[in-house]
């Protein structure tokens, strides 16, 4: 028998070896993680090359066997004289049996890319769409054109559902477009088995997936049921999928291809530039009263007689602002998700008929807006991402005439939004992208939007249609942030020692020698205004020199500020001081809204042709369900008259 001592020695040896193995394992895990990342990168690169190869084919030809019929149906059934850029490419590619994803801005005409091909050959096109109201709109407008289409949703009656199910089995069915919600595919066995029968008899033409970014958690609109769409390529081999979206980031597009099982598919993308939209940031006052004054002036003078939208952050804001503007004699309607459907549609139509000058809405007011002459979209609070901002502001100027997108920005709103969104993946990065856009005072705003969509629009493309380009600042002053970072960091460290957490406002107080003495900056007050101080804090947050630290209380979430990962390497850091250019609130908007700046064909995007011609001739929620607002005030439902 060994002695205890001997056994203990052996134990120590074994423990030592375990430690060594741990170290090795750690190294190997790191290596494994690195290899996985590298693998994903390579797969993405291969897919990008595949997509690029497919995209280098000219899909816009008119020599296909179906080309004549495509042209006739466009004009005779859809009563549309000509295609917008990339529509024909999308149509030819799906008719050729390619899987494809069509990326076009909202309003550019993605629906036609699947509606028209559905009518070219016999058989069925299934359209998956996330919103029942959108499907109803489409089926209605197709019926008006004598194009038979059906839909099947959770709200369909038993009879309607039976009819749709039977249709899938019926060889002589005249219907060529069937709209379904994603749940149907995810959950209805009956539907799926009938669809398989339809497929096995060779009658399934293609599956179109509208708002296809809803597959991806990286997008702004993730829908769990969209995840199941990955089974389609397995269940229906050789059936082309056609995804459609206005989300263009490569991250989301890669993700969508992976989820749908169509890696390296053809991507058809049109430019996102909206040349007729003027982009502008206005400094947002802290008091609601002052904000209302700005809105009042804009509506009474600058946008007198024109239609627009005012987007707000919460239901309570929407109600308060509606009330405030009505008190100032303006005709505005309120719109949010807590209202009855009938009240919402009444507000919508009163705005449509110009009875209301503006709708004051949460982001619930969005899909299905089909008003071409929206002359202004004002963001009373910043959007939660550039993606959302582009969608929301993009509802202006669908008719191609000049329209203005004005955003009120103040640092306080950064935290209003961050405390609402912080818990979902990637949301803070998205928000900081929006904040960077607002803080910027030196680069063309279009350039920043283009960067977001991985595009290069060139500087000439702005045509002075943003506040930066129309009022260039000659000598921009840069602030050297290095000493300020040191100060801020020491204020935060000192507060931590005192077991105190600082919000941005408290941090600013301490920095500008206000508030409790023991928290204050030990040095001098900065030589610039507190407003610039706010910009500095926001800038440092977007660049990870500072970061937000969220804490729940019983009633709300609070964002405290702490040092961020980049705070240690502040050897060089400059920030250009932003200046707001003047914007005459009391003047009529320039260029008179009535004179078109671009032609209809150039709306949303400029085709190669139109660019050539030019050269030749001259040269898209969530409402914050403001629970409190329900108690504090009755919901305004369209009650002005
Ligand atoms: P998206 O889905 O891209 O947001 P829609 O498909 O809803 O856009 O189309 C927006 C509007 O543009 C519709 O009223 C549609 O009839 C119209 N439209 C589509 N294509 C054309 C075209 N080639 N010429 C003129 N109008 C078009
Ligand atoms: Mg659409
Ligand atoms: Zn510009």
């Amino acid at each position: 028998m060994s002695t205890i001592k001997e056994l203990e020695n052996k134990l120590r040896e074994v423990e030592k070896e375990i430690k060594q193995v741990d170290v090795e394992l750690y190294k190997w895990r790191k290596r494994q993680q690195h290899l996985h990342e590298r693998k994903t990168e390579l797969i993405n690169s291969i897919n990008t090359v595949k997509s690029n190869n497919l995209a280098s084919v000219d899909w816009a030809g008119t020599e296909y066997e179906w080309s004549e019929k495509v042209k006739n149906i466009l004009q005779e059934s859809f009563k549309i004289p000509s295609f917008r850029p990339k529509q024909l490419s999308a149509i030819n590619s799906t008719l050729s049996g390619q899987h494809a994803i069509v990326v076009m801005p909202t309003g550019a005409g993605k629906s036609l890319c699947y509606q028209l091909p559905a009518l070219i050959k016999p058989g069925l096109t299934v359209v998956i769409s996330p919103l029942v109201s959108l499907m109803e709109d489409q089926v209605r407008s197709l019926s008006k054109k004598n194009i038979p289409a059906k839909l099947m949703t959770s709200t369909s009656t038993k009879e309607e559902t039976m009819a749709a199910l039977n249709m899938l089995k019926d060889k002589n069915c005249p219907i060529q477009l069937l709209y379904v919600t994603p749940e149907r595919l995810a959950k209805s066995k009956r539907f799926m088995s009938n669809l398989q029968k339809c497929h096995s008899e060779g009658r399934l033409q293609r599956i179109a997936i509208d708002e296809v970014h809803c597959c991806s958690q990286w997008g702004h609109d993730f829908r769990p049921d969209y995840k199941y769409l990955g089974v389609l390529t397995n269940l229906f081999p050789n059936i082309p999928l056609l995804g459609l979206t206005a989300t263009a980031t490569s991250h989301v597009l890669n993700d969508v291809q992976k989820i749908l099982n169509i890696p390296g598919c053809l991507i058809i993308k049109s430019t996102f530039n909206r040349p007729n939209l003027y982009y502008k940031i206005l400094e947002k006052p802290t008091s609601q009263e002052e904000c209302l004054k700005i809105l009042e002036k804009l509506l009474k003078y600058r946008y007198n007689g024109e239609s627009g939208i005012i987007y707000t952050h919460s239901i309570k804001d929407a109600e308060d602002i509606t009330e405030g503007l009505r008190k100032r004699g303006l005709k505005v309607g309120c719109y949010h998700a807590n209202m009855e459907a009938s009240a919402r549609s009444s507000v919508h139509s009163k705005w449509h008929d110009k009875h209301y000058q503006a709708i004051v809405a949460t982001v619930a007011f969005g899909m299905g807006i089909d008003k071409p002459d929206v002359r202004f979209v004002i963001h009373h609070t910043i959007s939660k991402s550039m993606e959302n901002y582009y969608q929301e502001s993009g509802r202006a100027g669908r008719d191609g005439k000049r329209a203005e997108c004005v955003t009120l920005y103040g640092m306080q709103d950064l935290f209003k939004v961050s405390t609402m969104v912080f818990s979902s993946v990637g949301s803070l990065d998205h928000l900081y992208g929006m904040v960077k856009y607002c803080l910027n005072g030196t680069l063309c705003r279009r350039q920043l939007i283009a960067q977001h969509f991985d595009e290069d629009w060139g500087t000439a493309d702005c045509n002075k249609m943003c506040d930066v380009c129309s009022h260039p600042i000659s000598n921009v002053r840069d602030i050297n942030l290095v000493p300020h970072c040191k100060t801020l960091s020491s204020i935060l460290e000192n507060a931590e020692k005192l077991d105190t957490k600082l919000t941005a406002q408290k941090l600013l107080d301490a920095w500008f020698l206000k508030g409790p003495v023991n928290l204050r900056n030990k040095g001098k007050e900065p030589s610039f205004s507190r407003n610039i101080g706010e910009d500095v804090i926001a800038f440092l947050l977007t660049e990870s020199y500072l970061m937000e630290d969220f804490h729940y209380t019983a009633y709300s979430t609070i964002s405290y500020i702490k040092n961020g990962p980049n705070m240690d390497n502040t050897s060089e850091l400059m920030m250009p001081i932003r200046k707001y250019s003047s914007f005459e609130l009391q003047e009529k908007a320039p260029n008179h809204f009535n004179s078109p700046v671009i032609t209809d064909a150039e709306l949303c995007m400029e085709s190669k042709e139109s660019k050539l011609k030019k050269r030749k001739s001259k040269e898209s929620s969530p409402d914050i369900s403001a629970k409190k607002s329900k108690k504090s005030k009755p919901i305004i439902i369209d009650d002005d008259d």
Side-chain angles (χ1 to χ4, degrees):
M1 276 292 267
S2 327
T3 64
I4 289 185
K5 191 125 197 125
E6 282 167 345
L7 287 171
E8 279 178 346
N9 280 340
K10 280 198 181 130
L11 175 62
R12 237 161 270 133
E13 268 169 41
V14 168
E15 280 174 343
K16 199 171 148 200
E17 208 177 327
I18 288 178
K19 268 209 183 107
Q20 281 167 353
V21 171
D22 272 346
V23 171
E24 287 299 308
L25 272 178
Y26 176 78
K27 273 193 216 154
W28 283 110
R29 283 217 189 89
K30 273 217 102 139
R31 178 83 191 133
Q32 187 186 34
Q33 190 190 348
H34 171 78
L35 288 172
H36 274 301
E37 282 165 11
R38 185 82 191 105
K39 183 178 160 186
T40 312
E41 256 172 46
L42 286 169
I43 291 175
N44 284 347
S45 303
I46 291 171
N47 290 336
T48 308
V49 174
K50 280 189 190 164
S51 293
N52 289 346
N53 286 346
L54 280 171
S56 64
V57 175
D58 178 15
W59 293 99
T62 48
E63 311 281 282
Y64 295 92
E65 63 194 70
W66 50 75
S67 292
E68 202 50 38
K69 193 164 177 194
V70 163
K71 197 172 137 204
N72 291 340
I73 291 188
L74 178 73
Q75 290 167 354
E76 278 153 32
S77 302
F78 289 92
K79 313 266 185 267
I80 288 178
S82 63
F83 284 116
R84 287 190 183 148
K86 304 290 179 183
Q87 283 180 323
L88 184 57
S89 302
I91 289 167
N92 283 333
S93 72
T94 189
L95 284 169
S96 308
Q98 285 287 339
H99 295 309
I101 298 180
V102 172
V103 186
M104 285 179 192
T106 307
K110 290 183 282 295
S111 324
L112 192 71
C113 302
Y114 54 81
Q115 289 173 343
L116 196 153
L119 310 181
I120 299 300
K121 296 178 190 172
L124 189 70
T125 290
V126 171
V127 184
I128 299 161
S129 172
L131 273 188
V132 176
S133 59
L134 277 185
M135 292 196 269
E136 286 170 348
D137 280 355
Q138 289 211 9
V139 171
R140 211 174 303 130
S141 94
L142 287 168
S143 305
K144 271 195 207 150
K145 298 181 179 108
N146 286 324
I147 299 168
K150 277 253 173 310
L151 87 170
M152 200 165 127
T153 70
S154 48
T155 56
S156 299
T157 63
K158 239 186 179 159
E159 289 73 33
E160 284 169 329
T161 307
M162 281 313 292
L165 284 169
N166 287 334
M167 198 182 106
L168 293 172
K169 293 193 289 191
D170 178 4
K171 285 195 179 92
N172 303 316
C173 176
I175 299 219
Q176 290 184 283
L177 274 155
L178 175 64
Y179 286 79
V180 295
T181 48
E183 303 88 89
R184 281 288 160 189
L185 287 123
K187 297 192 186 117
S188 165
K189 293 206 174 71
R190 183 92 169 275
F191 177 81
M192 286 309 270
S193 87
N194 284 15
L195 190 59
Q196 273 187 307
K197 186 152 195 295
C198 175
H199 174 242
S200 65
E201 289 169 2
R203 286 184 293 111
L204 181 59
Q205 278 284 317
R206 80 185 43 74
I207 302 177
I209 307 168
D210 208 0
E211 314 292 348
V212 74
H213 60 273
C214 294
C215 293
S216 169
Q217 300 223 28
W218 293 104
H220 52 103
D221 225 358
F222 174 61
R223 310 250 164 170
D225 283 321
Y226 263 70
K227 267 194 326 210
Y228 299 103
L229 302 183
V231 300
L232 295 177
T233 46
N234 265 325
L235 291 179
F236 309 111
N238 304 325
I239 296 302
L241 298 188
L242 181 64
L244 305 106
T245 179
T247 301
T249 56
S250 52
H251 203 136
V252 172
L253 292 179
N254 275 327
D255 210 24
V256 166
Q257 291 174 65
K258 202 159 101 191
I259 291 162
L260 293 181
N261 260 317
I262 50 171
C265 74
L266 171 63
I267 294 181
I268 295 177
K269 188 172 162 184
S270 67
T271 169
F272 275 60
N273 193 9
R274 299 277 310 273
N276 59 319
L277 299 189
Y278 182 88
Y279 296 100
K280 165 85 194 161
I281 305 287
L282 275 181
E283 191 145 19
K284 183 172 180 176
T286 34
S287 88
Q288 185 79 294
E289 206 47 36
E290 291 297 314
C291 285
L292 278 169
K293 271 190 204 158
I294 294 182
L295 295 175
E296 178 190 0
K297 280 185 192 159
L298 284 172
L299 266 62
K300 279 194 180 156
Y301 305 105
R302 196 169 178 89
Y303 305 131
N304 181 20
E306 310 286 357
S307 294
I309 306 172
I310 300 171
Y311 276 114
T312 62
H313 169 73
S314 63
I315 291 176
K316 177 158 174 17
D317 267 357
E319 291 174 351
D320 290 350
I321 291 166
T322 306
E323 200 180 276
L325 290 175
R326 282 181 179 173
K327 274 191 191 141
R328 287 166 161 78
L330 287 154
K331 290 224 160 236
V332 293
C334 184
Y335 188 108
H336 55 66
N338 267 8
M339 287 161 51
E340 297 282 333
S342 60
R344 273 187 279 165
S345 90
S346 150
V347 172
H348 193 158
S349 62
K350 281 185 179 174
W351 174 66
H352 221 276
D353 302 341
K354 292 210 158 193
H355 175 79
Y356 287 145
Q357 181 182 8
I359 284 200
V360 183
T362 63
V363 292
F365 187 56
M367 298 218 196
I369 302 176
D370 200 9
K371 188 168 168 59
D373 60 346
V374 176
R375 294 272 72 85
F376 61 95
V377 171
I378 302 171
H379 275 79
H380 173 263
T381 306
I382 52 174
S383 307
K384 57 183 184 167
S385 68
M386 279 307 282
E387 188 74 44
N388 288 57
Y389 180 70
Y390 180 84
Q391 298 284 349
E392 288 149 19
S393 59
R395 291 176 186 129
R398 289 275 170 79
D399 54 7
K401 294 175 191 167
R402 182 187 166 108
E404 298 191 339
C405 307
V406 178
T407 305
L408 298 177
Y409 170 76
M411 185 196 68
Q412 69 272 20
D413 286 352
L414 191 172
F415 304 108
K416 252 196 195 174
V417 183
S418 74
T419 47
M420 173 181 98
V421 301
F422 73 98
S423 57
S424 55
V425 194
S427 59
L428 278 183
D429 284 341
H430 290 157
L431 170 62
Y432 293 161
M434 178 75 212
V435 173
K436 278 184 203 173
Y437 169 85
C438 297
L439 287 177
N440 155 68
T442 45
L443 295 172
C444 170
R445 300 226 185 263
R446 271 198 162 62
Q447 217 58 34
L448 293 179
I449 300 173
Q451 271 171 26
H452 178 80
F453 291 110
D454 289 330
E455 288 186 30
D456 180 8
W457 297 340
T459 39
D461 274 357
C462 185
N463 243 330
K464 299 200 171 166
M465 285 293 280
C466 82
D467 52 356
V468 180
C469 295
S470 60
H471 295 90
I473 308 165
S474 46
N475 44 7
V476 179
R477 191 155 68 90
D478 280 346
I479 315 179
N480 177 9
L481 291 186
V482 177
H484 300 297
C485 279
K486 293 221 169 78
T487 310
L488 289 168
S489 162
S490 72
I491 294 172
L492 289 167
E493 276 162 18
N494 175 50
E496 202 177 323
K497 275 188 209 128
L498 298 171
D499 218 11
T500 309
K501 288 188 178 301
L502 301 180
T503 59
Q505 287 302 346
K506 292 264 163 62
L507 176 60
L508 277 158
D509 282 346
W511 190 21
F512 283 79
L513 307 179
K514 302 265 154 46
V517 177
N518 59 345
L519 292 174
R520 288 185 196 174
N521 160 21
K522 304 285 178 283
K524 277 189 299 185
E525 188 179 356
S527 58
F528 41 74
S529 70
R530 189 170 166 124
N531 277 355
I532 293 180
E534 292 191 350
D535 278 4
V536 171
I537 305 256
F539 178 81
L540 293 174
L541 280 168
T542 62
E543 301 290 336
S544 298
Y545 289 89
L546 293 174
M547 60 192 276
E548 293 181 77
D549 184 14
F550 297 97
H551 283 258
Y552 292 99
T553 71
Y555 304 101
S556 62
T557 311
I558 301 180
S559 163
Y560 295 109
I561 306 295
K562 59 182 186 184
N563 283 328
N566 287 345
M567 199 48 124
D568 295 333
N569 41 29
T570 49
S571 53
E572 203 180 325
L573 186 61
M574 304 295 274
M575 186 189 93
I577 295 186
R578 166 181 65 123
K579 272 208 197 105
Y580 292 108
S581 54
S582 66
F583 191 59
E584 287 308 323
L585 304 179
Q586 300 200 26
E587 252 173 30
K588 184 87 183 153
N591 283 8
H592 304 289
F593 279 139
N594 305 328
S595 59
V597 240
I598 60 161
T599 64
D600 196 274
E602 288 169 329
L603 171 62
C604 304
M605 53 239 137
E606 285 205 298
S607 64
K608 274 183 206 158
E609 285 164 50
S610 68
K611 272 190 180 161
L612 270 178
K613 254 189 239 160
K614 248 200 211 164
R615 231 177 280 154
K616 268 187 202 158
S617 68
K618 180 192 161 195
E619 54 86 54
S620 167
S621 129
D623 274 1
I624 315 169
S625 313
K627 291 178 191 115
K628 281 180 234 148
S629 79
K630 264 195 190 165
K631 279 183 220 143
S632 61
K633 215 178 280 167
I635 295 169
I636 302 171
I637 299 173
D638 197 21
D639 57 357
D640 71 328
D641 37 15

